[in-house]
C-alpha cells in the first residue's frame, strides 16, 4: 500500500504547476535546459516536463572535518580536528562552481591545514594561525558563499606509533600477541 502511495505522490509531483520557495531558501528555475533564473522567496509557476527547479536552503551549514594527523617541518606530529561553516549567498554561482560543496570545501580546508602544518615547525603552529591561514585561502564569494569560516576544535601534539597503525609489523615477524 505504501508503494502505491509513493507512486501516486511521484506522479502528482510531475504534474504540479507551482512551487514555493521559502524565505530561507533560494531556487534555480531552469526552462528547457537553457534559461536559468535565480529565485528568492515566493510562489512560482512551472511547466511540467519543461521546467526544472533546484531549491537550496541558505541557512548556516557546519561540516565536521575528520581528524588529521600531520607531520611538521621539524618532525613532530600534530593531530587536529576542525569544522567548517558557511552560508549560501548565490545558489547559481554555487551550482556553477562546486559539485558537492561540503565534500569539496572539506578537502580544500584539510589540504590547506596540511600545507600550513608541513611548512612550519611546531613552535610556530597555533590553532588561530591555522584558522587565519585557511580562511585567507578559501575565498567564499568565488563559490557563491558567505560567512565561510574554519575553526580548530581539537589540537594536540602527539607521538604516533605507525608500526602498529599500518600493520607493517606483520611482515617483519614481530610477535605482538598479548603476554599471558
Amino acid at each position: 500500500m505504501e508503494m502505491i502511495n509513493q507512486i501516486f505522490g511521484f506522479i502528482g509531483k510531475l504534474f504540479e504547476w507551482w512551487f514555493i520557495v521559502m524565505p530561507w531558501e533560494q531556487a534555480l528555475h531552469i526552462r528547457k535546459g537553457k534559461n536559468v533564473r535565480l529565485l528568492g522567496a515566493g510562489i512560482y509557476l512551472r511547466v511540467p516536463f519543461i521546467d526544472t527547479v533546484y531549491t537550496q536552503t541558505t541557512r548556516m551549514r557546519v561540516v565536521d572535518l575528520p581528524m588529521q594527523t600531520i607531520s611538521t617541518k621539524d618532525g613532530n606530529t600534530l593531530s587536529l580536528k576542525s569544522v567548517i561553516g558557511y552560508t549560501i549567498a548565490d545558489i547559481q554561482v554555487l551550482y556553477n562552481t562546486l559539485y558537492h560543496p561540503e565534500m569539496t570545501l572539506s578537502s580544500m580546508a584539510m589540504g590547506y591545514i596540511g600545507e600550513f602544518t608541513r611548512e612550519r615547525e611546531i613552535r610556530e603552529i597555533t590553532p588561530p594561525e591555522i584558522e587565519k591561514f585557511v580562511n585567507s585561502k578559501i575565498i567564499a564569494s568565488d563559490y557563491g558563499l558567505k560567512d565561510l569560516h574554519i575553526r580548530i576544535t581539537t589540537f594536540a601534539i602527539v607521538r604516533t606509533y605507525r608500526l602498529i597503525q599500518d600493520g607493517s609489523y606483520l611482515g617483519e615477524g614481530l610477535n605482538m600477541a598479548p603476554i599471558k
Side-chain angles (χ1 to χ4, degrees), residues 160-179:
T160 58
Y161 298 98
R162 300 218 185 252
L163 178 70
I164 294 172
Q165 279 184 330
D166 65 8
S168 63
Y169 63 88
L170 297 173
E172 296 177 13
L174 298 176
N175 183 4
M176 301 298 273
I179 299 174

Side-chain angles (χ1 to χ4, degrees), residues 56 84 86-88 90-106 108 138-145 148:
Q56 281 283 345
I84 190 165
Y86 65 93
T87 56
I88 297 173
D90 187 339
I91 190 175
Q92 191 167 3
V93 174
L94 177 67
Y95 272 52
N96 286 330
T97 56
L98 301 179
Y99 179 58
H100 285 293
E102 292 178 355
M103 190 169 31
T104 305
L105 291 171
S106 297
M108 290 170 65
I138 302 174
I139 310 301
S141 59
D142 290 352
Y143 307 109
L145 305 174
L148 185 117

Side-chain angles (χ1 to χ4, degrees), residues 48-106:
F49 303 108
I50 293 178
D51 294 340
T52 305
V53 178
Y54 296 101
T55 305
Q56 281 283 345
T57 181
T58 56
R59 294 177 182 163
M60 172 65 76
R61 297 169 184 225
V62 178
V63 181
D64 197 22
L65 303 181
M67 180 70 77
Q68 282 184 270
T69 302
I70 309 164
S71 296
T72 62
K73 186 177 180 179
D74 57 358
N76 286 298
T77 305
L78 177 66
S79 285
L80 55 87
K81 190 155 178 48
S82 51
V83 296
I84 190 165
Y86 65 93
T87 56
I88 297 173
D90 187 339
I91 190 175
Q92 191 167 3
V93 174
L94 177 67
Y95 272 52
N96 286 330
T97 56
L98 301 179
Y99 179 58
H100 285 293
E102 292 178 355
M103 190 169 31
T104 305
L105 291 171
S106 297

